Amino acid sequence: MSEACLRDAALRIVASPVLVDKLRAPARDLPDDERVLDALPLAPARSESLAIRPAKQARVPPLAGLADPSQRARIVHALANHELQAIELFAWALLAYPDAPDDFRRGLVSTLVDEQRHFVLYQECLAEQGVSFGDLAVSGYFWNKVALLSSPAHFVCAMCLTFENANLDHAEATEQAAIERGDERLVSALRVVHRDEVRHVAFGWRMLDAFKGDDETMWDAYCARMRWPLRPELARGRHFDAEARRRAGFDEAFITQLAGATRARR
Ligand SMILES: [Fe+2]
Ligand SMILES: [Fe+2]
C-alpha cells in the first residue's frame, strides 16, 4: 500500500499485526504535513504468536544462561522483543505528538530505522539456532508504560533517557558474556546496538534540553517528568558506564546523580 505521509507509515508500523510491516522503514522524504489521527492506538496490533503476555510468562534467564542453547534463545528473543517495542513506540510517538517540533520528529524516524536494523540482527542470531521470533512468549515492558508518556518530554525521559540509557550498561554486560561464550554473531550485533544507543540517548538528551524550562537543571527536568514506576535507577545497569554517558553529551552533574541511583530492595 502506498503511503502518502509519515503518519501513514507510523500507523502501519503500530497498527498492522504483520511483522514484516513493522520492519519496513518509512520511505525517505515522505511529507510530514498530515499529522493528526482520529484515534491514537494505545497498544500495538500483533499476530497471535506475538501477543503481549504477562511478564511471568516471558521470564528472561540471567546472562550466565548464554552457555545453554535453550536459555540463549530466550535471552536473544527478549532482546529482539525490546527492539520490536522500540520500533513500535518510536512510530507511536509520531502519532501521539503531532504538534512536536520537526527535529524531534526527524529524530524519532532515524531512531526507529536503527531499531528495525537491531531487530533483524537479533533475528539472525535466533535463526542460527533454528528459532523464529514468536516461537517464545513476549512481554510488553515498554508498552505497559505508554499511559505515562503524556508529552514529547515525558517520552524522551522514559524511552531515551531511561530504557535506552540503561541499555548502555546492559548491552555492554551482555556483550561481555557473549565474548566469554565465543558467540561472535551476538557480539557483533551487540556492538552495533551499543554504538547506535549512544546516539539515541544523545537525541533524548538534546530534546530534553530543548523542552525543559531555563531554570531547571537537566537532572531536575528528568526527575520531574518521570512517573512511577519509572525512576532514575531504571536508567542504569549494575555496572555503570560513565564514559558512554559522556559520549551521549550528559553533563557531569547528571552523571554523578545517575551513578548514585541504586535499586530499592523490595
Ligand atoms: Fe535498539
Ligand atoms: Fe535505541
Side-chain angles (χ1 to χ4, degrees), residues 70-258:
S70 71
Q71 292 188 61
R72 176 194 187 268
R74 287 168 60 201
I75 291 168
V76 178
H77 200 275
L79 294 173
N81 182 42
H82 286 166
E83 303 296 345
L84 175 61
Q85 291 178 81
I87 293 165
E88 291 169 333
L89 277 162
F90 279 93
W92 176 86
L94 287 164
L95 305 174
Y97 313 117
D99 300 327
D102 290 350
D103 56 347
F104 173 73
R105 294 175 65 81
R106 276 194 298 273
L108 295 177
V109 175
S110 90
T111 301
L112 119 70
V113 171
D114 285 345
E115 308 301 4
Q116 289 174 321
R117 285 192 302 111
H118 298 170
F119 178 90
V120 171
L121 291 174
Y122 290 136
Q123 198 177 34
E124 289 167 355
C125 291
L126 287 172
E128 203 171 46
Q129 265 182 273
V131 177
S132 295
F133 189 69
D135 286 354
L136 302 168
V138 295
S139 68
Y141 183 69
F142 298 165
W143 268 109
N144 293 343
K145 312 294 185 296
V146 77
L148 307 175
L149 310 180
S150 53
S151 73
H154 288 82
F155 180 87
V156 295
C157 286
M159 287 301 292
C160 310
L161 296 176
T162 304
F163 301 140
E164 294 185 300
N165 193 0
N167 203 29
L168 295 177
D169 300 327
H170 297 322
E172 199 165 80
T174 311
E175 182 186 324
Q176 200 50 47
I179 288 170
E180 285 163 19
R181 298 292 159 206
D183 191 335
E184 286 175 24
R185 187 180 289 275
L186 185 55
V187 170
S188 71
L190 285 157
R191 283 192 179 143
V192 171
V193 168
H194 192 268
R195 182 199 64 202
D196 291 348
E197 209 74 293
V198 172
R199 204 167 55 241
H200 300 172
V201 173
F203 163 67
W205 179 268
R206 285 196 311 277
M207 288 297 109
L208 181 60
D209 195 21
F211 293 141
K212 77 177 181 64
D214 291 342
D215 54 346
E216 283 181 297
T217 67
M218 285 296 279
W219 181 258
D220 290 346
Y222 170 65
C223 293
R225 288 160 184 81
M226 296 279 276
R227 300 203 198 120
W228 185 266
L230 295 175
R231 54 204 190 279
E233 58 263 39
L234 301 182
R236 53 162 299 176
R238 198 176 298 240
H239 172 76
F240 182 72
D241 181 355
E243 195 45 46
R245 272 73 180 192
R246 287 189 189 101
R247 290 206 299 280
F250 285 21
D251 64 40
E252 289 300 321
F254 195 102
I255 291 172
T256 302
Q257 292 278 10
L258 190 55

